[in-house]
Amino acid sequence: MTDAGGLRGKSVALIGAGNMGLALLEGWAAQDLLSVSVLEPQPSQRLQELCAAKGYALNGAAAPCDAVVLAVKPQALESGAAAAAPFMARGVVVVSILAGKRTADVAARLPTQAVVRAMPNTPAAIGRGVTGAYASASTSAAQRALSDALLSAVGGVEWVDDEALIDVVTAVSGSGPAYVFYFAECLAAAGAEAGLPAALAARLARATVEGAGELMRRQPETGPDELRRRVTSPGGTTAAALEVLEAPDGLAALMRRAVAAAKRRAGELSG
């Protein structure tokens, strides 16, 4: 993550504080470094409590900011941009987390060409997210660094140099948590079909996914392929299962099709 000092003394306007907007705000609040103005027409109880505790302005008067974070729903781009306009100032960078909306879409509606398009994922809610980001050509190094600091408050940030790759990021990490949850769901169902009580199968599957993920996190120097080999004894039970998963029509083929479908849909939404 970026050094929290990158946010020191900065002012930010957050337009929209639904699930992802609130997750970002929670991350900024934990660092206790920002001056934040929040616009959210339907503020949750948690949002109101957080703003009151941190002294953040909630639905107050607008003032020029260093960054504007657009966190409204994609279909609300027009109204979100209109709400953001009073916060715009010389040198401001707009960070958009609107799925499917290009930097050009945002720049066309606000008086700046410095736009960062970001795709965080749901683990951001617990500070364990990962965000793919792209900065428009007009975004300065300082504006990109500020954007990185804002996004890093909820997890890692990976930058791409081609905006089209954000569609692939969406297919891999943006939608990825759902794939993992579905894997746990299917593993539990298979365990129940094989004879385990359904509740026990669900607990085992969930704990296995959680533990395997944590093992990867704690051993970043070890690839998942090596971790897989370490748990696979030749001729053992795991090897027998992997013969099925590694078949030509197995998990790898399914994941390629799934990611391709998500990427294709992301492109359709961007068009």
Side-chain angles (χ1 to χ4, degrees):
M1 294 187 184
T2 298
D3 183 355
L7 301 181
R8 198 178 306 279
K10 300 298 184 180
S11 57
V12 177
L14 176 63
I15 313 301
N19 291 336
M20 194 57 68
L22 182 58
L24 285 165
L25 191 65
E26 295 267 14
W28 303 338
Q31 296 181 1
D32 206 22
L33 297 171
L34 285 172
S35 170
V36 184
S37 297
V38 182
L39 288 188
E40 171 51 58
Q42 297 180 310
S44 65
Q45 184 65 31
R46 174 55 188 155
L47 176 61
Q48 295 178 60
E49 292 172 352
L50 182 60
C51 288
K54 293 295 182 179
Y56 297 156
L58 176 59
N59 296 327
C65 292
D66 296 299
V68 171
V69 177
L70 279 177
V72 297
K73 294 184 182 301
Q75 59 268 32
L77 172 58
E78 295 290 348
S79 59
F87 293 94
M88 302 299 290
R90 182 179 178 84
V92 70
V93 61
V94 175
V95 179
S96 168
I97 62 171
L98 279 64
K101 298 302 180 182
R102 300 187 178 101
T103 54
D105 296 326
V106 176
R109 292 165 173 81
L110 289 169
T112 184
Q113 296 298 306
V115 180
V116 167
R117 179 180 173 185
M119 174 51 63
N121 62 5
T122 54
I126 58 169
R128 292 286 300 278
V130 63
T131 299
Y134 166 81
S136 67
S138 299
T139 305
S140 70
Q143 290 170 325
R144 174 168 159 158
L146 174 56
S147 302
D148 189 89
L150 289 167
L151 296 168
S152 292
V154 293
V157 180
E158 300 289 345
W159 290 86
V160 297
D161 295 327
D162 180 354
E163 185 167 5
L165 291 178
I166 290 294
D167 290 343
V168 187
V169 169
T170 300
V172 174
S173 60
S175 300
Y179 312 157
V180 177
F181 300 149
Y182 187 53
F183 173 80
E185 182 183 346
C186 289
L187 182 58
E193 186 172 335
L196 286 173
L200 174 57
R203 291 196 301 273
L204 290 172
R206 182 175 187 135
T208 297
V209 171
E210 291 172 352
E214 183 64 14
L215 188 61
M216 283 197 294
R217 188 185 76 85
R218 295 193 185 193
Q219 299 185 17
E221 72 290 347
T222 306
D225 56 338
E226 175 58 24
L227 291 172
R228 171 176 54 81
R229 282 192 288 270
R230 290 178 183 179
V231 77
T232 307
S233 300
T237 58
T238 305
L242 286 173
E243 284 184 12
V244 177
L245 294 176
E246 293 174 341
D249 61 346
L251 184 59
L254 285 174
M255 290 309 305
R256 285 194 297 269
R257 287 165 49 198
V259 168
K263 177 190 173 185
R264 183 170 57 251
R265 184 55 180 156
E268 292 169 353
L269 293 172
S270 297

